[in-house]
Amino acid sequence: MIALLDYGAGNVRSLTNAIESLGEEVRTVSSGEDILAAEKLVFPGVGAFGSMMHSLSDRGFVEPLTAYLRSNRPFLGICLGLQALFDYSEEAPEIKGLGIIPGSVKRFTVDLSVPHIGWNGLNFKHPSPFFNGLVGDEKFYFVHSYHVVPKDASVVLTTTDYGCEFVSSIQSGNILATQFHPEKSGRFGLHILKNFLGTVPEHALPNAASENSQLAKRIVACLDVRSNDHGDLVVTKGDQYDVRESGKVRNLGEPVDLARRYYQEGADEITFLNITGFRDFPLEDMPMLDVLQQTSKNVFVPLTIGGGIRDYTDKNGRNYSALEVAAEYFRSGADKVSIGSDAVLIVENYLKSGRKNGGSSIEEISRVYGNQAVVISIDPRRVYVASPDVVAHQVIETATPGPKGELFCWYQCTIKGGREGRDLDAITLAQVCEQLGAGEILLNCIDRDGTNLGFDIELISAVSNAVSIPVIASSGAGALEHFYEVFAKTDAEATLAAGIFHRREIPIDAVKNYLKGKVEIRLG
Ligand code: 1PR
């Protein structure tokens, strides 16, 4: 029996599912006595350091947890569950950590996108039973803006490179803690979990590891989901956002089945977009929650869900905050939520008032769950202009002139699935959302969506140059070369595609095999 410390934030369902898939039972800790009685304790910290420590303290967990750790019983800390072991974190310097491992937690100060999101490798420093069966070149899923700095180098099990060499796992006696998420790291992540859960195998030091690990470019599979005319939830796909063919909603498959297929083919992440979320109330739309719950049972890579993340008032007059909606998605197995229409309205208000109000969905969700949990989905459309001065927007010079020979364009934000254009450009939207706390940009393009013509490189360059958070390039993939073009010509960290995967024109593993040797990717 594995005891799981759940303090009410983030996605613990995936970890439970991962442990259960390995044949172990999981019991969620609900009191200090449960912690003290545990034989093996797993602490999947998620969210932000300050709110995590407050939550542990409010639940009376700090003392029993400290006592458990000092007794040297088996412990696995994940992400914030690693950071919690240290004296303090720059994320909330006024709040004390557990102080089990001397040292601190520092924010990345690197000339690369922060958060560090994606699949990176490990440089092995000491043999450990947890590495048994690894070759050494495997990649694991990271998502964090802060990293630990132990005072005593002997606790360092692995380091990872991301503009600097940082500590990615530690071991002190029976305390093991990783910055990466084994439960989100596919079969190799499950392998490490198995080593922790089982009878302890021999110490091992993988020998195929390189000296310097590298972050992989990600390939994301996207499932646009909505109800068809019979009320069934289906994966659909638009042509420039029009998902109907001969009047009917295109049906390209069943969401849970497709997600499973893409996981098996090697997708680095899976994104579900509830494309009619803007007009539904997601907490009444239980099928979407069910899709997440079912998918997270056997898909062990990160899951993002978008559509309808905003404040609501239901028909009985009860108000629900976007934070409550997001919380329900996290509890159902999502790792990140993606905000579309609401982000546009938030930025418009911000630009009007000139200040943050602290209460927007972006600010609230990132405060509780961390920046990395908040993705902004942008649905822009190209608008040509004769010269940059005719609009008060961020305009780019284009190599593809407009119908009247215009040499400039801006990218107009839209809401409600492209139905309504707004007086706001995509570059400004991305920049303000970053300031408000977003951790990643999912950059669609209505002009290219479903066309197979390739990604809009000018749009992707303009947005990825304007922000320091990762950008996922989306819309238009139609050939293997299109994926390479994005990575070769822009700073995007991931590419997302839908139609070519759904129609089986190009499988995900073929994309990876094509990119192998050209850009860093995750195989296996
Ligand atoms: O506004 O917060 O409720 O979120 C709604 C979400 O639904 C947004 O993320 C928005 O992008 C998405 N959405 C709304 N309507 C549509 C539509 O297609 N009619 N889909 C839609 C957006 C774009 C991509 C697509 C890529 C790749 N789909 O997700 O998967 O363009 O396609 P391709 O590889 O086939 O070219 P809110």
Side-chain angles (χ1 to χ4, degrees):
M1 173 81 74
I2 306 300
L4 182 84
L5 204 161
D6 176 9
Y7 61 94
N11 173 10
V12 293
R13 180 180 287 268
S14 298
L15 185 62
T16 305
N17 288 340
I19 296 173
E20 286 178 352
S21 79
L22 296 166
E24 285 284 350
E25 261 181 71
V26 177
R27 194 167 46 86
T28 304
V29 158
S30 56
S31 68
E33 290 78 56
D34 288 346
I35 295 179
L36 291 168
E39 283 164 14
K40 277 193 178 177
L41 183 65
V42 180
F43 179 14
V46 220
F49 189 90
S51 53
M52 168 188 65
M53 289 310 302
H54 275 309
S55 193
L56 289 178
S57 159
D58 291 349
R59 283 160 206 247
F61 286 174
V62 172
E63 266 186 38
L65 184 55
T66 310
Y68 181 93
L69 288 159
R70 296 220 185 278
S71 71
N72 193 30
R73 276 178 285 163
F75 173 89
L76 172 63
I78 299 172
C79 194
L80 270 182
L82 158 70
Q83 298 180 6
L85 302 174
F86 286 72
D87 297 322
Y88 76 96
S89 168
E90 285 182 0
E91 192 176 7
E94 68 291 354
I95 296 167
K96 270 190 97 180
L98 297 172
I100 298 291
I101 308 281
S104 59
V105 185
K106 297 209 168 352
R107 190 175 162 86
F108 276 114
T109 46
V110 294
D111 198 16
L112 294 168
S113 304
V114 176
H116 169 226
I117 299 185
W119 299 76
N120 206 329
L122 306 178
N123 313 315
F124 297 86
K125 300 294 177 186
H126 293 292
S128 166
F130 303 107
F131 301 146
N132 214 283
L134 294 186
V135 172
D137 62 355
E138 296 85 357
K139 290 197 188 287
F140 297 87
Y141 187 74
F142 288 83
V143 51
H144 59 127
S145 301
Y146 295 81
H147 61 92
V148 298
V149 184
K151 283 191 179 146
D152 173 6
S154 71
V155 300
V156 177
L157 261 194
T158 62
T159 63
T160 293
D161 297 283
Y162 189 64
C164 64
E165 186 181 10
F166 71 90
V167 173
S168 50
S169 66
I170 58 120
Q171 188 176 0
S172 171
N174 284 325
I175 298 174
L176 171 75
T178 62
Q179 185 58 66
F180 54 91
H181 289 260
E183 78 284 11
K184 287 282 147 190
S185 297
R187 65 192 173 99
F188 298 121
L190 293 181
H191 189 92
I192 285 201
L193 266 183
K194 196 168 165 205
N195 284 345
F196 171 76
L197 299 175
T199 43
V200 179
E202 292 290 297
H203 278 61
L205 188 63
N207 51 17
S210 65
E211 295 274 290
N212 293 99
S213 69
Q214 264 188 288
L215 181 68
K217 297 290 187 182
R218 286 170 278 155
I219 308 297
V220 182
C222 183
L223 288 79
D224 288 357
V225 178
R226 62 162 287 171
S227 297
N228 66 10
D229 302 315
H230 308 292
D232 307 316
L233 206 63
V234 297
V235 175
T236 189
K237 185 68 224 46
D239 261 331
Q240 301 185 321
Y241 283 35
D242 179 2
V243 298
R244 288 182 183 270
E245 195 167 295
S246 315
K248 293 201 177 111
V249 172
R250 281 194 195 97
N251 179 351
L252 293 168
E254 199 273 325
V256 179
D257 287 350
L258 273 186
R260 223 171 271 158
R261 186 181 115 205
Y262 296 145
Y263 170 61
Q264 280 154 5
E265 283 181 11
D268 295 317
E269 282 184 41
I270 292 171
T271 295
F272 294 101
L273 295 176
N274 178 1
I275 67 169
T276 51
F278 68 88
R279 61 175 180 230
D280 305 327
F281 176 40
L283 297 187
E284 277 168 1
D285 185 16
M286 301 316 275
M288 230 26 229
L289 298 175
D290 191 51
V291 163
L292 273 174
Q293 286 161 12
Q294 295 306 321
T295 303
S296 65
K297 279 198 182 133
N298 40 29
V299 171
F300 300 111
V301 293
L303 302 177
T304 301
I305 174 95
I309 315 274
R310 61 183 165 89
D311 298 343
Y312 282 90
T313 305
D314 73 8
K315 49 185 181 295
N316 304 318
R318 172 162 183 217
N319 295 321
Y320 293 84
S321 67
L323 182 63
E324 285 175 276
V325 177
E328 202 53 45
Y329 280 135
F330 290 127
R331 272 194 289 276
S332 300
D335 300 286
K336 311 184 217 178
V337 292
S338 139
I339 304 175
S341 304
D342 200 35
V344 176
L345 305 178
I346 291 166
V347 172
E348 287 177 352
N349 282 335
Y350 171 89
L351 293 173
K352 228 179 277 164
S353 69
R355 60 187 168 79
K356 302 178 183 178
N357 71 18
S360 72
S361 56
I362 302 172
E363 292 158 285
E364 289 208 323
I365 300 170
S366 62
R367 191 159 47 239
V368 177
Y369 291 95
N371 308 37
Q372 79 294 330
V374 180
V375 182
I376 303 302
S377 170
I378 312 184
D379 299 313
R381 186 181 272 130
R382 195 178 256 239
V383 180
Y384 283 102
V385 285
S387 110
D389 326 319
V390 296
V391 281
H393 294 299
Q394 300 202 50
V395 170
I396 63 155
E397 193 168 357
T398 175
T400 317
K404 294 184 195 140
E406 300 97 327
L407 294 176
F408 299 92
C409 71
W410 64 285
Y411 288 93
Q412 182 184 32
C413 292
T414 65
I415 59 172
K416 302 179 182 169
R419 286 166 182 80
E420 197 180 312
R422 307 291 292 194
D423 192 24
L424 175 68
D425 68 79
I427 302 172
T428 303
L429 177 82
Q431 288 173 320
V432 176
C433 288
E434 176 177 10
Q435 285 174 36
L436 293 175
E440 202 169 19
I441 302 290
L442 161 50
L443 185 57
N444 301 299
C445 174
I446 297 180
D447 312 287
R448 295 296 176 102
D449 172 63
T451 61
N452 285 20
L453 291 173
F455 296 87
D456 187 329
I457 298 294
E458 291 178 334
L459 167 66
I460 299 161
S461 290
V463 173
S464 54
N465 289 341
V467 294
S468 61
I469 52 179
V471 171
I472 303 168
S474 162
S475 304
L480 293 169
E481 301 77 36
H482 293 157
F483 293 89
Y484 179 61
E485 190 185 17
V486 171
F487 296 132
K489 295 186 178 166
T490 79
D491 289 334
E493 302 224 343
T495 48
L496 172 149
I500 50 163
F501 297 150
H502 303 336
R503 294 186 299 266
R504 293 182 185 269
E505 287 161 14
I506 298 180
I508 294 170
D509 41 11
V511 176
K512 295 244 176 133
N513 283 325
Y514 177 81
L515 293 175
K516 190 178 161 190
K518 300 184 180 77
V519 291
E520 186 74 13
I521 42 148
R522 173 187 75 109
L523 291 168

